[in-house]
């Protein structure tokens, strides 16, 4: 898998991002860019600042300083709904599916999220002409056999697929995936990796993936950033990260 070439029109540019909680510096000056069409991985031990960084980009928290740009436009401090309208999709560690709604309706609601308020989304007539798009993703994620079942009746792994599919319903330019392998049957991890690769190639969207499953990250990502104690230890290709002695000693284990 070739690495996307360096571009001066990065999809996501994070510069000197900082966030402290009292005396604890959760993120201490993190900088990186995500290139067009790139799958960018973020790894690090618990407490390394990955989630704080991720939530800052997603508008869940406001950083103390630094800049976050989407295609050259500042997005620091924007709400998750505003980010969705600008083309940012996301998943979280905890599932965001509506358990009492069918799989297909979950996808329709996700697509409508960037089009209005929660009230207007829940009570919009019909499927807002998004049915064909939902059906295409249902087939792509191989969940046709459960499309009309309530999401809450599915296995955790199936709900995870629905959750990820929802992130793609608005045709995002950037998708942030928070631990997509968490709770997923190991047998399905390889299938998930292949699915994300196909989506990346077909849609030419950029991904940021936070994940603890090292084999998954090394197989999926074009480049990987290693965070330790709120700092960036290294950024490089999977081969470069595997060969980095500092990373091996501090995180991967030599």
């Amino acid at each position: 898998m070739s690495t996307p070439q360096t571009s001066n029109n990065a999809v996501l540019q994070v510069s000197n991002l900082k966030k402290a909680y009292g005396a604890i510096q959760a993120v201490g000056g993190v900088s990186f860019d995500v290139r067009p069409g790139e799958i960018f991985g973020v790894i690090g031990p618990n407490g390394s600042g990955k989630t704080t960084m991720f939530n800052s980009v997603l508008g869940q928290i406001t950083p103390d300083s630094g800049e976050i740009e989407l295609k050259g436009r500042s997005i620091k401090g924007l709400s998750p709904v505003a980010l969705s309208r600008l083309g940012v999709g996301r998943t979280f560690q905890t599932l965001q599916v509506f358990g009492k709604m069918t799989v297909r309706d979950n996808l329709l609601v996700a697509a409508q999220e960037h089009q209005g308020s929660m009230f207007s989304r829940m009570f919009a007539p019909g499927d807002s002409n998004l049915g064909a798009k939902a059906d295409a993703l249902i087939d792509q994620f191989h969940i046709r056999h459960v499309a009309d079942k309530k999401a809450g009746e599915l296995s955790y792994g199936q709900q995870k697929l629905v959750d990820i599919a929802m992130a793609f319903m608005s045709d995002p330019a950037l998708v942030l995936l928070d631990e997509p392998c968490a709770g997923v049957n190991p047998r399905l991890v390889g299938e998930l990796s292949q699915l994300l690769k196909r989506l990346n190639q077909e849609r030419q969207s950029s991904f940021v993936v936070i994940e603890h499953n090292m084999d998954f990250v090394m197989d999926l990502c074009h480049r990987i950033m290693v965070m330790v104690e709120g700092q960036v230890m290294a950024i490089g290709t999977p081969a470069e990260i595997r060969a980095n002695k500092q990373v091996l000693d501090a995180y991967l284990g030599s």
Side-chain angles (χ1 to χ4, degrees), residues 103-250:
V103 167
R104 192 171 187 273
D105 284 345
N106 266 274
L107 268 61
L108 295 175
V109 168
Q112 295 162 1
E113 180 179 8
H114 71 295
Q115 297 176 345
S117 67
M118 173 61 77
F119 182 87
S120 65
R121 296 196 305 270
M122 293 298 291
F123 296 98
D127 63 11
S128 301
N129 299 315
L130 295 168
K133 182 182 294 186
D135 287 336
L137 274 172
I138 284 169
D139 288 336
Q140 199 161 20
F141 276 75
H142 305 295
I143 50 177
R144 170 62 60 186
H145 60 297
V146 295
D148 296 320
K149 287 188 176 182
K150 293 182 179 180
E153 298 174 355
L154 308 184
S155 69
Y156 186 88
Q158 289 173 325
Q159 289 187 52
K160 197 84 170 185
L161 289 176
V162 174
D163 192 38
I164 295 173
M166 290 167 66
F168 286 92
M169 274 298 291
S170 59
D171 295 321
L174 176 68
V175 183
L176 294 99
L177 304 165
D178 194 356
E179 297 194 21
C181 292
V184 175
N185 188 310
R187 181 178 58 83
L188 298 178
V189 169
E191 295 179 19
L192 179 59
S193 177
Q194 293 304 311
L195 172 61
L196 291 173
K197 287 178 182 178
R198 287 197 302 272
L199 288 167
N200 171 253
Q201 292 169 359
E202 293 171 5
R203 294 170 176 257
Q204 292 298 302
S205 51
S206 301
F207 302 169
V208 178
V209 182
I210 291 180
E211 182 54 62
H212 286 292
N213 186 318
M214 293 304 303
D215 291 337
F216 179 83
V217 171
M218 292 292 179
D219 175 67
L220 177 66
C221 299
H222 297 108
R223 289 189 301 148
I224 299 167
M225 177 172 72
V226 183
M227 291 185 65
V228 175
E229 296 181 351
Q231 304 284 337
V232 175
M233 174 173 283
I235 297 177
T237 65
E240 290 169 340
I241 295 301
R242 287 186 188 276
N244 187 312
K245 188 177 185 303
Q246 187 181 19
V247 174
L248 291 173
D249 291 344

Side-chain angles (χ1 to χ4, degrees), residues 17-38:
L17 192 71
K18 295 182 180 180
K19 179 64 179 179
Y21 295 99
I24 300 174
Q25 189 76 41
V27 177
V30 168
S31 298
F32 65 93
D33 71 305
V34 179
R35 303 164 184 172
E38 180 175 39

